[in-house]
């Protein structure tokens, strides 16, 4: 009887299906050269972001401090708190009463627009001549244009003043922008490099179709250089908006002051040697800086495109 039971148990055990076992989990393969390179790139990206963030904070901190100080009373201007302990709008009311900021902003806007437009057009015309036309001595003349960039501004300061004084323009806004009618060596170089990257066959086809030389430049070449023209215009806007030297030389009456010259007068009146009302000076500085920030944010895409395309095509 026991033998039958053992035989039945053995047959039952043999009839059971074998347990299903899945494949063993794959072990992670050791990182190869590609994995190590990917890890290095990821680490480099993180380090770059950290470095850029730190640099951005360093450059941004002075302006944040300036904005914060403009909302502080006189006694708290230099307490180095980014969040004012005593918040006040009185500084923005007082600065408009103490100085004709509206007139200074208008004068600066007029000079800036005229200077930016004239230097952009004149530099583009000269750059087009050096890039498109073939004539004897072209390289030598272009070298002379670039050589003017090596002359310090102090060398031509007195002769330029004597010219404007002989023309009776000292004390007016004209000397601050009219010199741009003759172009700028740096902008000529920048635009020439861009023009050289444009397909010459396009201009020759336009000439065959009957377009004049001026038509080729104005209707075809100039629209194709939009990013580079935007770079030139924004650079000039920044240069003219912050130009103090020429304003100090040529402007006499406060009614003709530009923003830099007006801020200099505020420093003289309320800063060193004055009444030490630094809250007025920092508030005026904030008001006059905001337009440049707006211009940059509106044109930053064109600036990046213009610099990148000029570098690639040059």
């Amino acid at each position: 009887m026991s033998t039958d039971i053992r035989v039945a148990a053995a047959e039952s055990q043999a009839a059971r299906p074998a347990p299903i076992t899945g494949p063993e989990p794959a072990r992670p393969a050791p990182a190869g050269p590609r994995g190590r390179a990917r890890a290095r790139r990821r680490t480099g990206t993180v380090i770059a972001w950290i470095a850029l963030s730190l640099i951005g904070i360093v450059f941004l901190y002075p302006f944040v401090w300036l904005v914060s100080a403009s909302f502080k009373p006189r006694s708290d201007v230099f307490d180095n708190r980014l969040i004012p302990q005593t918040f006040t709008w009185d500084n923005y009311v007082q600065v408009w009463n103490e100085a004709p900021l509206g007139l200074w902003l208008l004068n600066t806007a007029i000079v800036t627009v005229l200077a930016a437009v004239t230097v952009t057009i004149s530099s583009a015309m000269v750059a087009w001549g050096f890039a498109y036309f073939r004539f004897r001595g072209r390289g030598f003349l272009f070298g002379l244009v670039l050589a003017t960039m090596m002359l310090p501004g102090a060398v031509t300061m007195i002769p330029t003043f004597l010219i404007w004084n002989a023309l009776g323009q000292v004390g007016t806004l004209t000397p601050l922008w009219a010199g741009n009618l003759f172009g700028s060596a740096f902008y000529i170089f920048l635009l020439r490099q861009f023009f050289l990257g444009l397909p010459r066959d396009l201009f020759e086809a336009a000439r065959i179709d009957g377009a004049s030389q001026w038509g080729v430049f104005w209707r075809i070449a100039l629209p194709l250089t939009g990013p580079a023209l935007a770079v030139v215009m924004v650079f000039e806007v920044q240069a003219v908006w912050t130009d103090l030297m020429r304003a100090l030389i040529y402007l006499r009456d406060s009614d003709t002051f530009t923003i830099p010259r007006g801020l200099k007068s505020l420093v003289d009146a309320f800063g060193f040697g004055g009444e030490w009302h630094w809250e007025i000076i920092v508030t005026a500085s904030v008001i006059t800086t905001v337009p440049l920030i707006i211009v940059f944010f509106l044109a930053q895409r064109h600036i990046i495109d213009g610099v990148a395309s000029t570098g690639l095509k040059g």
Side-chain angles (χ1 to χ4, degrees):
M1 183 69 179
S2 60
T3 303
D4 297 336
I5 295 175
R6 286 197 298 270
V7 172
E11 293 177 353
S12 175
Q13 184 70 21
R16 290 179 183 176
I20 299 175
T21 58
E24 295 184 0
R27 297 179 179 179
R34 183 176 301 177
R36 289 194 296 269
R38 188 180 300 111
R40 284 196 299 267
R41 285 197 299 268
R42 189 180 299 112
T43 304
T45 302
V46 173
I47 295 175
W49 274 105
I50 294 174
L52 290 175
S53 299
L54 293 176
I55 294 173
I57 292 173
V58 170
F59 278 92
L60 190 61
Y61 176 80
F63 181 72
V64 174
W65 182 94
L66 190 72
V67 174
S68 175
S70 67
F71 293 104
K72 298 176 182 179
R74 179 182 180 183
S75 59
D76 297 342
V77 170
F78 296 105
D79 62 3
N80 288 328
R81 292 190 182 95
L82 294 183
I83 300 177
Q85 186 176 10
T86 304
F87 190 90
T88 178
W89 288 93
D90 294 341
N91 297 336
Y92 285 88
V93 177
Q94 186 178 1
V95 71
W96 287 98
N97 295 329
E98 296 291 343
L101 277 183
L103 182 59
W104 294 349
L105 287 170
L106 178 61
N107 293 337
T108 308
I110 293 173
V111 172
T112 301
V113 171
L114 291 175
V117 172
T118 53
V119 79
T120 301
I121 295 176
S122 58
S123 298
M125 293 173 64
V126 178
W128 172 251
F130 281 119
Y132 180 74
F133 295 102
R134 303 286 190 265
F135 54 90
R136 182 176 299 177
R138 184 182 66 163
F140 175 74
L141 291 178
F142 185 66
L144 289 179
V145 172
L146 296 183
T148 61
M149 297 172 59
M150 304 178 186
L151 290 175
V155 174
T156 59
M157 188 181 298
I158 295 177
T160 304
F161 174 82
L162 294 177
I163 292 173
W164 289 117
N165 188 48
L167 295 175
Q169 297 300 314
V170 174
T172 68
L173 298 175
T174 304
L176 275 63
W177 66 269
N180 288 354
L181 289 169
F182 305 98
S184 168
F186 174 72
Y187 299 148
I188 291 172
F189 169 77
L190 185 71
L191 294 173
R192 175 182 175 272
Q193 297 304 107
F194 197 96
F195 283 134
L196 289 175
L198 298 177
R200 190 178 180 87
D201 295 341
L202 181 64
F203 308 131
E204 299 298 339
R207 290 288 295 158
I208 294 175
D209 290 340
S212 62
Q213 296 286 5
W214 177 256
V216 171
F217 167 71
W218 188 259
R219 298 181 181 179
I220 300 177
L222 210 58
L224 292 176
T225 58
L229 295 177
V231 170
V232 171
M233 189 164 292
V234 172
F235 282 3
E236 188 63 18
V237 166
Q238 187 273 335
V240 176
W241 192 274
T242 59
D243 183 18
L244 175 61
M245 182 61 68
R246 284 187 293 183
L248 283 173
I249 295 173
Y250 295 105
L251 301 182
R252 301 287 185 268
D253 190 0
S254 62
D255 292 339
T256 61
F257 281 0
T258 56
I259 287 299
R261 183 66 182 88
L263 290 179
K264 176 64 170 59
S265 67
L266 288 179
V267 172
D268 295 337
F270 299 101
F272 297 108
E275 302 177 7
W276 296 88
H277 285 285
W278 290 102
E279 73 279 4
I280 296 179
I281 298 173
V282 297
T283 304
S285 301
V286 171
I287 294 174
T288 57
T289 305
V290 168
L292 276 184
I293 297 176
I294 295 174
V295 169
F296 173 78
F297 276 107
L298 293 177
Q300 60 177 333
R301 182 174 61 84
H302 300 288
I303 296 174
I304 296 172
D305 292 344
V307 173
S309 58
T310 302
L312 291 174
K313 295 183 179 182

